[in-house]
Amino acid sequence: MPKLLLVHPPQIALYMPYLALPSLTAYLRGHGKPCDQVDLNVRANRRLISERGLREAMAAVERRFGPGGRDAPDDVRAALELGPDTITRLPAALRDMRDDARLLDDEAMTAAFGLLDRALALASAPFHPTKLSYDLSMRYAPNHVADLQRAVRDEAENPWLRLFREELVPEMLRGGYDVVGIGIAFEEQMIGALTLARVIKELAPHVVTVAGGNVVSKFHTPLLAKNFLFEEFDHAIVYEGETPLERLCDALDARAAGSAAGHGAADLAAVPNLLWRDGATLRVNEMMYEQVPSLPPPVFDGFPVDPAAGDGYLLGHTIFPLLSVRGCYWKKCAFCTHHHSYGWRYRVRPPQQLDEDIETLARRYGARHFYFVDEAVPPAQLKVIADYMCARDGGPLHWFGDMRFEQPLTDGFCRHLYAGGCRMLIFGLESANQRVQDFMDKNVKVGTMERALRACTQNGIFTVTMFFTGFPTETLQEAKDTADFIFRNKPWIGTFSNGSFALLRGAPAQLDPDKYGITSLQPDPDHDLSDDYRYSVRTGLTQESAQRIAESIGRRRTEDEKFGKPFSRELILLRESLRPPPTQGLQRQL
Ligand code: SF4
């Protein structure tokens, strides 16, 4: 039986583990497949910002740009000059991030995360103009195949090539793996994933590499059309991977046993959701979807989830991701493609299993904090979670989730959610103008939003709202209505994020442009792995003016004393978990 390693590649934020690999690992182990997993994102970043890593970065800058970084651009020279101070102060900053006594101190948190930014800037300085922060920016576009091909070969500017080749890949492969699955959930991981696959092939050509994850599902058509995927990977799996990976292991096993008889191709043809090369032909196998009720709770073994070790995720308590459903129960919003990640299928985790998921993680890893990473947690599942937490031996654990504004978010319901450990809800508000709301098929009443925000905040639940400007036909005044709503309801909104409308491939607005007043749309020719379009509209804001308005609201947010705090949602959850309960009848945080 082939031995499998699943890898979560860089570069994304280091706040908490991502759910995909722990779900796959649990399933595969439960079906008798030897499977390990590693969060290479954390491993690589921790290595780069270690004292040794930062000293090496300073030496490398001087080798490349001369003593004191003489010939370096200003930002690189500044990172070098601040280097000794960064190295001295970073350990205390990382301790502050994990210290409950410091968590509510805004200044301490801002300073600690500012120092981390400085450390990442120094770590990436030798690779100028490449920059590392919570993503990776290189001179190459991450959504252009020709650029990606150059990025994974660039020995001078790719920060992963040497580190992977000389340290991290040899260390990983010591486990004697036959198959390495690389999960690409975010576009920011593309360069890290491709570089990793390339280095594995360089060092261990016999190891089978498999790409998977949301990005592969989303872009598999252009990736195949450009014949790019199989330059770096042997196979790819799209959409859900539990059964496909299990069957792939069986097929590889059978192929190894029967290769002399030439049965390999037939075995791979039976693996659902698999993209593979059959000689010169690219094959896309039949799709299948998992039975959500029968899946086991995720397993985080191998991920650095013990905060006491000090070498894993940044915060002092690990927040464990869970799903209460797969897919979205609404599925109608005209701008949205999120519900595609699960192939349009909506499936609910039954209450008993959801309770068992929570309890298993609490027992096995001491989990005290959860993030329900559903596209939108349905109110019924919120109730299941809160009911369980209220009844649980040892008391409720703290959690947050994303959701739609819904009628059941009344004062009484929010009180129950708070009692059941809910400390934050993230809402896709999109627009607070009723005509635009209805036109985009989000179909929430503005009054419902207002009432829900108030009920949450008065009952101790921190609220995050997300919205955008420029949905086709939206006028300047309608865009202003949303900004006005946000600032008028400031007492009930914890923070917000905003952007401008993106016309995405596969969204209802792209599939039926005329219905939404879109007169022309064209893919960006420079970004062949991008799923958004340039477009023009019959009436309302143009794409450019929508972007300008979004930027101006964004500036207003940054300058706002309440909304401008640069804290991640994970940090906010931990901060909210430490606050005393709201006083009955009094409003908090006004
Ligand atoms: S925006 Fe949210 S609620 Fe609307 S269809 Fe997408 S995932 Fe569902």
Side-chain angles (χ1 to χ4, degrees), residues 390-412:
C390 285
R392 135 174 225 282
D393 285 344
L397 307 171
H398 293 144
W399 53 276
F400 73 111
D402 296 63
M403 69 175 299
R404 276 168 53 84
F405 285 106
E406 295 285 12
Q407 293 278 358
L409 283 167
T410 59
D411 192 50

Side-chain angles (χ1 to χ4, degrees), residues 132-282:
L132 279 170
S133 61
Y134 302 113
D135 57 11
L136 168 71
S137 117
M138 293 183 74
R139 69 169 74 233
Y140 308 107
N143 42 15
H144 190 216
V145 166
D147 271 15
L148 285 171
Q149 283 166 324
R150 284 191 281 270
V152 296
R153 288 168 177 77
D154 192 327
E155 298 283 344
E157 295 179 12
N158 182 325
W160 308 127
L161 264 170
R162 239 184 86 196
L163 183 64
F164 286 179
R165 187 185 289 134
E166 292 179 8
E167 284 184 44
L168 301 184
V169 171
E171 185 186 302
M172 280 187 327
L173 294 182
R174 247 171 250 143
Y177 299 103
D178 307 290
V179 181
V180 176
I182 302 174
I184 316 174
F186 305 100
E187 281 146 55
E188 291 82 349
Q189 293 176 291
M190 209 48 182
I191 291 173
L194 292 163
T195 307
L196 176 62
R198 166 159 285 259
V199 171
I200 290 171
K201 277 293 166 203
E202 210 180 279
L203 301 184
H206 62 282
V207 170
V208 175
T209 52
V210 186
N214 190 36
V215 172
V216 179
S217 303
K218 199 159 69 167
F219 293 124
H220 71 270
T221 307
L223 283 169
L224 287 179
K226 295 266 169 182
N227 208 1
F228 176 52
L229 201 54
F230 298 124
E231 273 180 28
E232 307 298 347
F233 291 95
D234 293 305
H235 307 299
I237 286 175
V238 292
Y239 302 111
E240 291 163 299
E242 283 92 345
T243 305
L245 269 174
E246 181 200 1
R247 301 262 180 85
L248 178 64
C249 288
D250 291 340
L252 293 174
D253 206 20
R255 188 166 67 167
S259 57
H263 292 144
D267 294 329
L268 291 178
V271 177
N273 302 16
L274 186 73
L275 314 184
W276 58 291
R277 255 183 317 205
D278 184 4
T281 311
L282 299 178

Side-chain angles (χ1 to χ4, degrees), residues 328 330-333 335-336 338-339 375-376 404 430 442:
C328 169
W330 179 250
K331 291 188 203 168
K332 293 181 193 165
C333 301
F335 54 86
C336 177
H338 285 182
H339 41 292
E375 309 300 344
R404 276 168 53 84
E430 328 306 2
K442 186 92 188 184

Side-chain angles (χ1 to χ4, degrees), residues 97-111:
M97 293 176 195
R98 300 202 307 274
D99 182 354
D100 282 357
R102 303 286 276 163
L103 230 50
L104 289 172
D105 180 337
D106 287 6
E107 256 179 55
M109 284 304 103
T110 306

Side-chain angles (χ1 to χ4, degrees), residues 455-581:
C456 285
T457 304
Q458 286 184 327
N459 288 287
I461 299 172
F462 190 93
T463 61
V464 181
T465 59
M466 302 181 295
F467 64 91
F468 60 87
T469 41
F471 188 75
T473 75
E474 184 180 60
T475 63
L476 179 61
Q477 183 53 52
E478 287 170 333
K480 280 184 177 162
D481 288 349
T482 303
D484 290 348
F485 175 94
I486 296 291
F487 285 92
R488 186 172 74 243
N489 285 289
K490 192 169 170 181
W492 323 115
I493 296 177
T495 191
F496 72 85
S497 61
N498 75 295
S500 61
F501 171 66
L503 181 57
L504 300 177
R505 177 159 33 89
Q510 184 263 323
L511 298 174
D512 189 358
D514 190 53
K515 176 178 172 191
Y516 293 98
I518 297 165
T519 48
S520 75
L521 73 175
Q522 55 192 20
D524 187 336
D526 294 331
H527 293 162
D528 44 16
L529 288 185
S530 169
D531 58 350
D532 59 343
Y533 289 76
R534 309 236 9 110
Y535 65 89
S536 33
V537 284
R538 214 163 14 239
T539 59
L541 297 169
T542 62
Q543 189 166 16
E544 292 69 27
S545 47
Q547 277 161 1
R548 274 197 303 276
I549 296 167
E551 282 160 15
S552 136
I553 297 173
R555 275 195 299 277
R556 200 171 159 197
R557 180 178 69 81
T558 322
E559 287 158 12
D560 187 275
E561 206 188 324
K562 178 178 184 183
F563 295 140
K565 290 178 188 156
F567 298 154
S568 72
R569 289 153 187 198
E570 294 84 354
L571 179 62
I572 293 173
L573 173 73
L574 298 190
R575 285 162 60 94
E576 293 306 307
S577 303
L578 292 172
R579 292 191 199 279

